[in-house]
Amino acid sequence: MRRVVVLIIAFLLCGQLVKAHENTRKEYIQKFKDLAIREMKRTGIPASITLAQGLLESRNGNSVLARKGNNHFGIKCHDWRGKTMRIDDDKRNECFRKYKSAYDSYMDHSKFLTTRSRYAFLFKLKSTDYKRWAHGLKKAGYATNPRYAHILIKIIEEEKLYVYDSAVKKRHGKTIEKTNKKLANIDEDYEIDPFGARLEELNGVHFIVVKKGDTFYSIERNLGVSKKKLLRYNELPSGYVLQVDQILFLHAKKNKAARGYNFHRVKEGDTMYSIAQKYGVKLRKLYKYNRMRRGEEPYEGDRIWLRKKSR
């Protein structure tokens, strides 16, 4: 009898110890905020939204799905070809994605939102507008809970997660440099994305400058943008070989240049394509604005309009 009592007490104590080691909100935030900030820099998804979803969907990293499957965002299998695990959710025995690390889960969360058309409208919102992002996620069907947006907003405001949405504004400053250094010290087996610190923005579109050794495959693997899309976004022919120092856009270019850029004065060596890339404008729009035939090139000194001329 005494042995049974001792075993029961030991069991209860073990349960308390396990419970005592569960992550708190603040511990989770401290652990993953730099990764969320990096993903905001890379994709435009607000860091506050990423953290709030991670906190909610994984119960601060304590859920079975997070602990055993490294799935922090409750993403189900869908068209997934990797490892999976089964858990009761909205229905019994539902299929969820399983990852090697939390880092992979964060990367896949970004890819999930950036590659599905139903979420495309979100990326027209400002990265600091966490309230619209929260309501947009619910509208797009990310979760079935009718109060999903309100729960995310409540978490963001209680933990002041919105402060991280402005942490990426210094594109070339110490903020990003500090973030990347911290990422290297996270105590998980993270494979740091070598492209993360290279992302730039032009006319509201993210791009990288191609370096020696870059391939379409390495870019797709690290940034989640397929070769087919990269060719289309940059108006390049199939079979194209990347050139060192060229600008490579990761999203579709805009129909006109940024405000304040009305025209470009042609210099020696300029082409219509190089001008389109320089300002992040679709090539066909430049031809249209300047009433030029496709394939026609400008002369040195010409004025090439970057937006529709005002009457």
Side-chain angles (χ1 to χ4, degrees):
M1 183 66 180
R2 180 181 294 178
R3 185 178 180 183
V4 173
V5 172
V6 170
L7 287 173
I8 291 173
I9 292 173
F11 177 79
L12 292 173
L13 287 173
C14 286
Q16 289 178 348
L17 286 173
V18 170
K19 186 175 181 180
H21 283 87
E22 285 194 345
N23 293 318
T24 65
R25 272 190 185 179
K26 286 182 169 44
E27 286 172 338
Y28 185 93
I29 293 166
Q30 187 63 32
K31 191 171 187 178
F32 294 109
K33 62 183 176 66
D34 296 304
L35 187 52
I37 291 170
R38 201 292 303 274
E39 284 303 284
M40 179 174 173
K41 171 66 176 174
R42 190 171 74 87
T43 66
I45 301 170
S48 62
I49 287 291
T50 299
L51 285 169
Q53 284 193 285
L55 286 163
L56 177 60
E57 300 288 349
S58 75
R59 285 198 308 107
N60 310 337
N62 299 314
S63 70
V64 173
L65 190 60
R67 287 188 288 105
K68 295 187 176 181
N70 285 311
N71 188 331
H72 285 241
F73 299 95
I75 300 179
K76 296 179 181 179
C77 291
H78 302 295
D79 54 353
W80 181 247
R81 295 183 180 180
K83 292 185 178 181
T84 63
M85 62 184 295
R86 296 274 177 176
I87 287 182
D88 293 344
D89 192 51
D90 295 328
K91 299 177 183 178
R92 293 191 64 184
N93 202 34
E94 288 197 88
C95 183
F96 287 86
R97 302 181 181 190
K98 188 175 182 179
Y99 307 98
K100 291 182 179 179
S101 69
Y103 173 82
D104 290 330
S105 179
Y106 270 72
M107 289 290 289
D108 193 48
H109 171 260
S110 297
K111 185 176 181 180
F112 188 81
L113 295 183
T114 56
T115 58
R116 280 167 166 72
S117 58
R118 61 177 174 161
Y119 297 111
F121 71 96
L122 290 170
F123 293 89
K124 296 180 181 179
L125 303 174
K126 292 181 179 179
S127 292
T128 52
D129 196 348
Y130 63 88
K131 291 183 179 179
R132 287 190 179 181
W133 267 85
H135 287 289
L137 284 169
K138 176 63 185 74
K139 180 180 178 181
Y142 191 97
T144 56
N145 188 332
R147 299 198 68 257
Y148 189 74
H150 299 285
I151 295 171
L152 290 182
I153 292 170
K154 188 171 185 288
I155 292 173
I156 290 170
E157 294 181 343
E158 284 179 351
E159 301 300 329
K160 296 181 174 59
L161 300 180
Y162 47 77
V163 301
Y164 301 122
D165 294 340
S166 59
V168 297
K169 286 186 176 179
K170 298 178 181 179
R171 290 170 50 217
H172 301 291
K174 295 181 179 179
T175 302
I176 296 303
E177 183 182 352
K178 185 178 180 181
T179 295
N180 288 332
K181 286 180 179 178
K182 284 185 176 181
L183 276 171
N185 296 320
I186 294 178
D187 60 348
E188 296 233 2
D189 186 21
Y190 290 151
E191 180 185 353
I192 300 303
D193 176 1
F195 291 90
R198 289 170 49 190
L199 283 174
E200 300 286 348
E201 187 176 327
L202 173 64
N203 198 15
V205 186
H206 287 108
F207 72 92
I208 63 169
V209 175
V210 175
K211 290 187 177 182
K212 185 177 180 180
D214 287 347
T215 64
F216 284 113
Y217 172 74
S218 67
I219 294 170
E220 179 176 355
R221 181 166 59 88
N222 287 280
L223 296 178
V225 187
S226 68
K227 177 181 178 179
K228 184 177 180 180
K229 288 183 177 180
L230 289 171
L231 291 173
R232 186 170 79 247
Y233 296 154
N234 292 276
E235 301 168 291
L236 296 169
S238 59
Y240 181 82
V241 177
L242 290 176
Q243 305 296 310
V244 174
D245 292 332
Q246 78 173 90
I247 288 176
L248 194 69
F249 288 101
L250 307 177
H251 307 282
K253 291 183 289 184
K254 299 298 180 66
N255 290 328
K256 58 184 178 181
R259 185 174 298 178
Y261 294 96
N262 296 319
F263 65 87
H264 171 82
R265 185 70 70 179
V266 178
K267 299 177 182 178
E268 184 179 358
D270 284 346
T271 65
M272 289 296 282
Y273 181 76
S274 69
I275 296 170
Q277 292 295 96
K278 179 180 176 68
Y279 293 96
V281 180
K282 294 175 182 175
L283 182 59
R284 59 182 177 82
K285 289 293 183 179
L286 288 190
Y287 279 116
K288 182 178 180 180
Y289 298 150
N290 294 277
R291 298 182 180 180
M292 296 170 64
R293 295 188 301 273
R294 186 83 182 202
E296 187 177 352
E297 296 295 349
Y299 292 98
E300 186 175 352
D302 283 352
R303 177 183 291 186
I304 296 298
W305 291 94
L306 306 173
R307 52 177 61 229
K308 188 176 182 180
K309 289 184 284 187
S310 57
R311 294 181 179 179

